[in-house]
Each structure stands twice: as structure tokens, then as C-alpha cells.
Amino acid sequence: MKKITPKMFITLLENKEERFVVVINHWFYYIEQGRIYRFQQHNNTKMLTLLSSFYADEIDDLLMKDGLKKSIIDQIKYDWFTDVWKDTLMERIGRSYYDLEVFFF
């Protein structure tokens, strides 16, 4: 996991070069080529549990990323892309003073 500033997040989103997962207000979002995928409720709940294990040092960064990748692959079979989240995220992040937690792939 890496911490990035809200400004860096917006730059990464606009550059469309990185693949990463960001946690914002207890929701996981997968960003790839500037497209935003919001985790479905069921998968988001699973990942929050996994994230708790990560914070408790029960699992390491590699296991966390592996869990995220499996969840992304599980969800990718559905048409889960939406630009609706982009405006909402940009607004929330633009007002934030806190760094964001990001997992890069």
C-alpha cells in the first residue's frame, strides 16, 4: 500500500497510465486507463474484511494485492464500468485534506 495526495490521485486518473485500487470512504475503486470501477457491495464487504487483516498485520501487502486481483477478476465478467463515479470521486477528493490509500499493480 502506498499513500498519495488527492492532487496526485487526480493526476494519475487523468494520465490514464496506472492500474490501482483506491479506498475512499470505505469503498474500493479499481482504476485502469482512467476508467473507474466501483466494487460491488458483496465484494466490497469482503475486501474491507481483508483490509482489516492487512492493518492488523495478519496478512502482508502481497496477499492483500492478491485478494484485490481475485476480486477484480471475479467482477470483471460483469459490465461494472461507470463514469458516474468519476464526478463524485473528483468532488470528494478535491475537498479532501487526507492522503489516499492506494494499491498499485
Side-chain angles (χ1 to χ4, degrees):
M1 180 187 60
K2 187 175 181 182
K3 294 222 179 213
I4 63 170
T5 64
K7 188 174 183 175
M8 186 175 178
F9 173 82
I10 292 170
T11 301
L12 289 170
L13 190 61
E14 291 172 349
N15 287 347
K16 301 179 181 181
E17 295 174 7
E18 298 285 343
R19 290 184 323 141
F20 59 95
V21 170
V22 62
V23 183
I24 302 170
N25 294 338
H26 305 290
W27 278 98
F28 284 78
Y29 296 88
Y30 173 58
I31 314 295
E32 181 176 14
Q33 297 177 338
R35 299 179 89 183
I36 300 171
Y37 303 83
R38 181 175 173 181
F39 279 40
Q40 297 166 339
Q41 179 69 42
H42 174 71
N43 288 301
N44 193 69
T45 303
K46 282 182 179 178
M47 290 298 97
L48 284 173
T49 302
L50 195 63
L51 188 63
S52 293
S53 296
F54 176 74
Y55 286 142
D57 288 328
E58 296 168 4
I59 63 170
D60 64 7
D61 194 55
L62 292 176
L63 285 175
M64 183 67 197
K65 284 182 183 178
D66 190 47
L68 287 168
K69 287 177 186 177
K70 286 178 183 176
S71 184
I72 291 166
I73 289 168
D74 182 47
Q75 295 177 87
I76 210 89
K77 58 188 166 194
Y78 305 105
D79 186 19
W80 64 316
F81 166 74
T82 178
D83 266 334
V84 173
W85 307 118
K86 190 171 190 172
D87 292 335
T88 304
L89 284 179
M90 297 297 261
E91 181 182 325
R92 284 183 185 166
I93 290 169
R95 292 183 283 148
S96 177
Y97 298 103
Y98 302 102
D99 288 347
L100 303 168
E101 298 173 335
V102 177
F103 294 89
F104 287 95
F105 299 105

